Amino acid sequence: MSFPALHIDTIGSQGQDIVILHGWGVNNQVFSPLQNALHQYRVHYVDLPGFGLSPNIDGDISQWVQALASQLPQQAIWVGWSLGGLVASQVAIDYPKSVAALVTIASSPCFMAREENGSTPSWSGIQPEVLTQFSNQLNRDLSRTVERFLAIQAMGSDNAKSDIQQIKSLVLSKPLPTQQALSQGLDMLAQVDLRPKITQIQQPWLRIWGKLDSLVPRKIITSLPSSDDIKDVVINKASHAPFISHPDEFLAHLLPWIIKYG
């Protein structure tokens, strides 16, 4: 199956390939503050389908993952923030040769809170009515809906106001996401549940969390797999965007890990 070409900014011509995926409502510009620190690698900053300068891709997470795996180098370190972490985790499961190692930032294998269901335990996450509300608002006012979601991402952070401003100024340098992409992304946040498959991730895995994150509670750490090649880092005063609010602390964990597994 062929897909339209995604917009990927590749910076650097040598060293380990690193793929970076952004979250819902934004685009790859949100990672521009990290570019200097990663200059010695070949970093592929991706606009997810329908976000930034990338065209829409019909379908669900499977089609997005297939398109990404077919257009990016194999044996890369994949770094995904929020929704991007869910997508990167699915790539690691479905296309293990693409992913040499995985980094998820403020992400979860299942974003929506779930009640206990038979043998499946309850799960902490975003309340279903919050995602329903965003979904309904998308049809009325796309830009305001995105802005509201950005505000939630910084809630709890020491520098919430400046964090929101920084994220907004970075992402507004590109076009707003398409309504289709935002709707697909919300569906993924509401419906995708990788918990039954998460043990299939055999690659080294760094998980970075914000202690004050109101969208992805750090208490889910105890329900996730653990091994010698899995590391959890909790950034104490960060919320949902630790690479924006605490870039030095974030990089102090990310860079040694890339050196170790790159």
Side-chain angles (χ1 to χ4, degrees):
M1 187 174 180
S2 62
F3 295 97
L6 294 170
H7 180 84
I8 301 165
D9 291 310
T10 297
I11 299 178
S13 57
Q14 56 189 16
Q16 171 66 42
D17 282 299
I18 299 174
V19 172
I20 302 195
L21 306 182
H22 61 79
W24 189 86
V26 298
N27 54 60
N28 70 5
Q29 282 300 106
V30 80
F31 293 115
S32 52
L34 301 182
Q35 286 178 6
N36 283 344
L38 297 173
H39 73 276
Q40 70 270 47
Y41 303 106
R42 202 157 73 105
V43 187
H44 309 271
Y45 296 91
V46 179
D47 279 342
L48 288 172
F51 292 85
L53 301 176
S54 280
N56 287 324
I57 287 178
D58 295 338
D60 57 18
I61 194 168
S62 300
Q63 280 68 45
W64 280 26
V65 159
Q66 204 177 333
L68 288 161
S70 66
Q71 295 179 37
L72 287 153
Q74 292 200 334
Q75 289 301 300
I77 292 177
W78 285 60
V79 180
W81 171 47
S82 195
L83 171 64
L86 184 70
V87 174
S89 298
Q90 186 81 64
V91 175
I93 293 166
D94 291 351
Y95 298 92
K97 288 182 180 170
S98 289
V99 183
L102 178 66
V103 182
T104 55
I105 308 159
S107 193
S108 172
C110 177
F111 273 82
M112 197 166 79
R114 313 262 169 164
E115 301 288 338
E116 186 177 349
N117 183 10
S119 60
T120 309
S122 61
W123 188 256
S124 298
I126 305 170
Q127 291 305 311
E129 57 270 21
V130 173
L131 289 176
T132 303
Q133 195 179 22
F134 275 107
S135 198
N136 294 337
Q137 286 171 345
L138 266 186
N139 300 316
R140 294 202 297 273
D141 191 338
L142 187 143
S143 61
R144 188 147 177 254
T145 306
V146 171
E147 204 161 307
R148 275 198 62 222
F149 194 73
L150 295 184
I152 289 175
Q153 299 191 29
M155 270 170 57
S157 163
D158 269 6
N159 317 302
K161 206 168 182 181
S162 62
D163 291 353
I164 296 164
Q165 266 321 113
Q166 190 178 354
I167 294 171
K168 269 174 64 178
S169 64
L170 289 170
V171 303
L172 291 178
S173 61
K174 285 189 169 184
L176 274 174
T178 66
Q179 188 139 3
Q180 175 181 326
L182 288 168
S183 185
Q184 286 171 298
L186 280 181
D187 283 346
M188 290 174 205
L189 293 175
Q191 294 167 17
V192 175
D193 185 355
L194 296 183
R195 288 179 295 166
K197 295 180 175 180
I198 208 75
T199 54
Q200 293 176 33
I201 295 176
Q202 297 297 306
Q203 298 91 333
W205 187 3
L206 173 65
R207 304 185 294 227
I208 301 177
W209 314 84
K211 188 175 181 181
L212 306 176
D213 193 340
S214 60
L215 293 171
V216 178
R218 73 187 189 284
K219 67 180 179 183
I220 67 171
I221 292 172
T222 55
S223 304
L224 295 174
S226 60
S227 80
D228 290 344
D229 282 338
I230 295 176
K231 182 179 181 184
D232 287 292
V233 170
V234 179
I235 298 182
N236 276 334
K237 295 188 176 177
S239 181
H240 194 62
F243 60 96
I244 293 283
S245 61
H246 297 77
D248 294 342
E249 197 175 341
F250 173 81
L251 287 165
H253 294 291
L254 178 68
L255 294 175
W257 197 86
I258 290 173
I259 290 166
K260 183 177 180 180
Y261 291 106

